[in-house]
Amino acid sequence: DNADEKDRAFMARMISDETLSMADFEVLKQMLTTLGGIEYTREQARYHVDSAKKSLDLFGNSTSRDLLTLLADYSIARNV
């Protein structure tokens, strides 16, 4: 919501560019960070992981449930 139409169009072009250079990627990443897109995505990921983990409450304690919980936590804890 923080990006104006010009920024959105620019980012959309960059994302769809199959020949995106590392320099352009860094510009895109900086824009996403500055405009709050990275933090918004992290918040959404946390919400969905919490929801998924609550869904696991339907099942009894098991190694499989524990592994799924760890995998869900790892999916938002990792840095890429």
Side-chain angles (χ1 to χ4, degrees):
D1 290 336
N2 295 330
D4 60 22
E5 286 300 316
K6 180 182 164 193
D7 288 336
R8 285 188 190 124
F10 178 76
M11 289 187 286
R13 278 194 312 275
M14 291 182 81
I15 290 169
S16 63
D17 183 356
E18 294 180 15
T19 62
L20 185 70
S21 69
M22 279 304 288
D24 287 341
F25 176 75
E26 290 300 323
V27 169
L28 176 62
K29 189 168 74 169
Q30 184 60 42
M31 285 183 76
L32 289 168
T33 300
T34 301
L35 294 169
I38 301 295
E39 186 55 34
Y40 173 78
T41 301
R42 284 188 180 125
E43 290 170 6
Q44 290 296 301
R46 280 186 215 105
Y47 169 80
H48 289 291
V49 164
D50 288 344
S51 177
K53 287 168 54 175
K54 286 177 185 167
S55 295
L56 293 174
D57 289 344
L58 296 171
F59 303 100
N61 289 334
S62 69
T63 302
S64 297
R65 178 181 161 187
D66 292 344
L67 287 173
L68 289 170
T69 299
L70 285 171
L71 181 60
D73 288 335
Y74 173 75
S75 72
I76 58 173
R78 66 191 180 102
N79 289 317
V80 282

